[in-house]
Amino acid sequence: PAASYGEFIKEGKSLCHCVARYAKSHSTGYTNIFFIRSVDDPDKPYYTLELKLPSDREPYVAQNRGLRNCARTEEVERFEAAWLEHIKEIISKEKKNGKRNSKSRDAERIGA
């Protein structure tokens, strides 16, 4: 997950999109921003994903964009689908065990 405002700025400049305007919403837990990286170049911005964690339905990806807001590649779509299923499993297990954390902590917990 995004950890600082500086990371938002770097991501937005590198990928030529507006992720920095989501920094406040991310910091308050309203939305959750994750930076997707390529295994071949883990320090270089690749795609930026917005995850929503509503309390009344399953988590979902609101958007996932690359350079100049380009759409996902098939490889990124497959990763996203597998990752989202993993997130849903974690949250489902927590709900069953009565350990569901507040929305503002979910992104930190599931993104690590």
Side-chain angles (χ1 to χ4, degrees):
S4 71
Y5 184 68
E7 287 183 356
F8 277 90
I9 297 296
K10 179 183 175 187
E11 186 84 356
K13 284 184 177 181
S14 294
L15 295 178
C16 301
H17 62 41
C18 65
V19 70
R21 74 176 208 200
Y22 291 88
K24 185 174 181 179
S25 294
H26 174 79
S27 69
T28 62
Y30 179 75
T31 197
N32 304 281
I33 303 296
F34 292 86
F35 300 151
I36 298 174
R37 301 294 183 250
S38 170
V39 173
D40 297 333
D41 199 353
D43 295 323
K44 181 180 177 187
Y46 187 48
Y47 278 80
T48 310
L49 182 145
E50 180 184 14
L51 177 70
K52 293 288 191 173
L53 297 166
S55 59
D56 61 340
R57 59 184 266 212
E58 287 192 332
Y60 66 95
V61 173
Q63 57 183 327
N64 187 356
R65 296 293 179 179
L67 183 62
R68 294 182 188 87
N69 282 319
C70 73
R72 297 163 289 208
T73 64
E74 288 181 23
E75 177 185 36
V76 172
E77 284 180 354
R78 286 190 302 272
F79 167 79
E80 177 189 305
W83 179 78
L84 186 57
E85 285 307 309
H86 176 70
I87 299 307
K88 289 177 183 179
E89 287 174 18
I90 290 170
I91 291 173
S92 177
K93 286 178 185 177
E94 288 183 351
K95 282 183 179 179
K96 287 179 186 175
N97 294 327
K99 296 181 181 179
R100 180 86 163 111
N101 288 337
S102 70
K103 279 195 321 186
S104 63
R105 287 179 276 166
D106 282 339
E108 181 180 316
R109 187 185 75 263
I110 63 181

